[in-house]
Amino acid sequence: MDNIVHLNELASLPRPLYGQRDSLPNIALDYRHLHAWGQLSHALHGVLLVHTDNARLVVPPHRAVWIPPGSMHRVESTPDACIRSLYIDAAQSPWPGQECRVIAVDPLLRELIRAFGELPVEYDLEAADGRLAQVLLDRLCLAEQLDLVLPQPRDPRLRALCRQATARPWADIRLGEASRKAGVSEKTFSRLFLKETGMTFRTWRQRMRLVSALPALERGERVTDVALACGYESLSAFSAAFARLFGLSPGELARGGSMTQA
């Protein structure tokens, strides 16, 4: 389409807040890249996985991910994902610093994003459209931040171990085995892993398993089969852990991501 904007060809955004629905491809870019402006990608349905140098961010339906200006990243999505993206000038960033984050998208914020996508690219900053853009930025500042980040350690020994664990989420890797693979004592491994990721190896492994379950659930695979493939022996334990982390049950995600909470 002739009206599709190639962001890498822009020297600057046409407006401080840009997100015209019909002028953007709104697809996941599965290669490493960065922008001079911030990016907010909202999953209307489907699941997004954002990979940065030190984390994976999980974006279930009705959530959004914030990627600050200058942050190297790549994005994966499930095949039926529907994405709406906003691009925000660095001077208008809703949050300070270089931290990527996942936020909750409540009904008002969702409708603001939808309405903003209908505006012309060069909307009038001084008229009603400009005020709508400002309300949208204000609501982003108030959005709840969700703990849906899977940190990746920088230490090469731990990073290799985490790659192995992610490739085999069903494997029951205990602390002793993990520390032997890393070539350090259990005490040193525990201290180093906590320092590098902010969580214990056990907590990290549970979160990794739940993240690994998302694509299979989106494909419509049976919840029981997915739970077993991710190392859970009990369907009830898998469902409870999944709901605690993502705010919706595995079945709700498979049915399109209806949230159990706003």
Side-chain angles (χ1 to χ4, degrees), residues 4-260:
I4 293 296
V5 171
H6 296 279
L7 292 167
N8 60 350
E9 298 175 359
L10 292 177
S12 61
L13 296 176
R15 288 291 185 268
L17 178 60
Y18 172 53
Q20 214 283 334
R21 184 188 65 180
D22 296 327
S23 295
L24 291 168
N26 281 308
I27 58 174
L29 299 180
D30 189 19
Y31 55 84
R32 282 167 55 83
H33 63 285
L34 53 78
H35 311 291
W37 39 77
Q39 174 181 340
L40 185 92
S41 289
H42 169 37
L44 296 176
H45 57 77
V47 175
L48 305 180
L49 288 175
V50 176
H51 301 262
T52 68
D53 288 339
N54 59 2
R56 294 171 68 196
L57 295 97
V58 189
V59 193
H62 307 303
R63 277 67 168 174
V65 59
W66 167 248
I67 303 167
S71 178
M72 187 68 73
H73 65 283
R74 66 180 182 89
V75 183
E76 294 180 56
S77 67
T78 50
D80 66 338
C82 181
I83 307 168
R84 289 289 179 269
S85 291
L86 300 176
Y87 298 91
I88 304 174
D89 186 89
Q92 299 290 327
S93 294
W95 301 281
Q98 287 299 111
E99 178 188 1
C100 293
R101 63 186 71 205
V102 179
I103 64 168
V105 178
D106 63 24
L108 175 57
L109 183 54
R110 185 164 60 247
E111 287 305 306
L112 287 169
I113 293 172
R114 183 199 62 77
F116 183 79
E118 304 295 331
L119 299 185
V121 171
E122 296 185 348
Y123 57 86
D124 188 342
L125 291 169
E126 303 302 324
D129 292 347
R131 292 193 292 273
L132 174 62
Q134 189 57 57
V135 170
L136 176 48
L137 288 171
D138 289 344
R139 292 301 303 182
L140 285 176
C141 294
L142 299 175
E144 177 190 3
Q145 183 173 350
L146 304 175
D147 191 13
L148 296 181
V149 179
L150 184 67
Q152 300 296 306
R154 294 186 180 275
D155 184 286
R157 297 166 298 178
L158 303 188
R159 203 171 183 91
L161 176 66
C162 287
R163 282 199 299 267
Q164 295 169 14
T166 301
R168 303 170 64 244
W170 62 87
D172 186 16
I173 303 176
R174 302 295 179 92
L175 178 61
E177 181 183 354
S179 61
R180 285 194 298 274
K181 285 179 177 291
V184 296
S185 68
E186 290 187 20
K187 184 177 181 180
T188 297
F189 178 88
S190 297
R191 183 175 64 249
L192 183 58
F193 199 91
L194 182 62
K195 178 183 177 182
E196 293 262 325
T197 67
M199 58 180 64
T200 66
F201 179 67
R202 179 179 179 181
T203 300
W204 183 94
R205 188 183 63 178
Q206 182 189 56
R207 183 170 297 189
M208 175 273 295
R209 286 175 163 177
L210 295 171
V211 169
S212 299
L214 291 171
L217 291 171
E218 277 286 306
R219 290 194 299 268
E221 296 184 19
R222 289 198 321 150
V223 175
T224 300
D225 294 338
V226 175
L228 292 173
C230 292
Y232 281 84
E233 297 180 359
S234 164
L235 176 59
S236 60
F238 170 72
S239 296
F242 191 96
R244 282 195 300 270
L245 181 60
F246 296 119
L248 67 167
S249 72
E252 286 171 331
L253 178 68
R255 291 192 297 272
S258 300
M259 292 187 293
T260 57

